[in-house]
Amino acid sequence: MTMQILFIEDQESSVQPVINRLERDRSNVECVVKNFDDASDWLESNRPDIVSLDVVLDGSTGDARLAGQTIHDQIWENNFCPIIVYSAQPDELAIAAEPHPFVRLLKKGTGSPAQFSTILEEFRPHVDALRAAETQVRREFAVAMRDFAPAVFNSIESPADRQRIITRSGRRRLAAQMDDFTDYEGGDETHRLAAWEHYLCPPVDRDFLLGDILRATGGELDNPNDYRVVLTPSCDLVASGGRSPKVSNLLVAKCFRMKEALARVNITLGSKAKKNEDK
């Protein structure tokens, strides 16, 4: 599959050596070059796999630095993809002070085309994963809206109420479908989430919440014994907004496979339950 790379650069000649090397060594790369003025509009209707971003132009003023930062922020917030900050002064970008696995800083120089190619290869698995995730989200969203919309339109007359319900309930329906996703085309059951993974793990809220599922550091993804369920009430765990939690420790419950859990409370598995003992 072709990987599209957007070079945001006002002096195309400075990235031509990289482009020449990529086009010479790789048949599955498409290179697009845009200046700062055109890049923002181009990104509104295009989704590159990787962006190469210049920061400071030769003889530039502070406005050029700002342009580089503005484009970076647009990509980061609305068009997320891996970024290679390819510049004579890559450290000028604010993100340089906050390392991120999807951002690489590369200084232009004699050996930089080869280094650029190496970084590109390191990013490829992540690009493939992002593509697959986006494709799945679009497919599941289409299915969710197709199945959900008739019930809303048949029972709700107010357009404003329809919009609110589709936005909120449709989002939840999409999340549920994503949890139950299976790659039926490939017949691969490995994508189906285990029962305990249907809860957010790790939690994404700013505060721990009652019912959050935590996995032990280094724990196995498919081993319930490596998971814990938070039992401490949510109100005692608020740590955002400058507040201090009311407790210093979490009360958690350990997860067990059904057979082991029932044995601990002296309950014998029946024949029907035995078939589902690992669920």
Side-chain angles (χ1 to χ4, degrees), residues 205-221:
D205 197 272
R206 293 184 178 182
D207 304 298
F208 280 123
L209 300 174
L210 173 69
D212 276 344
I213 308 294
L214 311 178
R215 179 162 56 89
T217 301
E220 298 177 6
L221 288 173

Side-chain angles (χ1 to χ4, degrees), residues 9 11 14-15 54 56 86-88 90 106-110 112:
E9 171 67 62
Q11 293 186 353
S14 68
V15 295
D54 192 12
V56 182
Y86 188 49
S87 172
L106 179 59
K107 188 172 184 177
K108 293 177 180 176
T110 305
S112 59

Side-chain angles (χ1 to χ4, degrees), residues 94-246:
I95 193 66
E98 302 175 6
H100 191 282
F102 283 155
V103 176
R104 298 292 183 87
L105 308 182
L106 179 59
K107 188 172 184 177
K108 293 177 180 176
T110 305
S112 59
Q115 293 175 285
F116 193 104
S117 182
T118 299
I119 294 173
L120 206 66
E121 196 58 33
E122 293 173 355
F123 272 150
R124 181 172 288 280
H126 308 303
V127 168
D128 291 343
L130 288 171
R131 276 185 178 179
E134 285 187 334
T135 299
Q136 178 191 342
V137 169
R138 286 196 299 269
R139 182 189 300 126
E140 296 297 328
F141 178 77
V143 172
M145 291 299 100
R146 180 196 70 195
D147 295 344
F148 181 65
V152 176
F153 277 79
N154 290 337
S155 59
I156 306 297
E157 294 184 2
S158 167
D161 288 342
R162 287 176 182 170
Q163 180 181 0
R164 176 178 56 82
I165 293 173
I166 287 177
T167 300
R168 297 181 66 85
S169 300
R171 186 174 61 188
R172 186 65 196 97
R173 185 182 182 93
L174 172 62
Q177 287 187 193
M178 295 291 291
D179 284 349
D180 198 39
F181 171 74
T182 302
D183 184 8
Y184 292 108
E185 293 182 4
D188 186 0
E189 289 284 337
T190 60
H191 292 294
R192 184 179 293 279
L193 295 179
W196 53 87
E197 289 181 290
H198 281 247
Y199 299 90
L200 289 178
C201 180
V204 296
D205 197 272
R206 293 184 178 182
D207 304 298
F208 280 123
L209 300 174
L210 173 69
D212 276 344
I213 308 294
L214 311 178
R215 179 162 56 89
T217 301
E220 298 177 6
L221 288 173
D222 59 351
N223 183 2
N225 292 306
D226 287 331
Y227 289 83
R228 301 291 184 272
V229 183
V230 175
L231 298 183
T232 303
S234 303
C235 58
D236 291 339
L237 300 175
V238 178
S240 59
R243 289 169 289 188
S244 298
K246 297 179 181 178

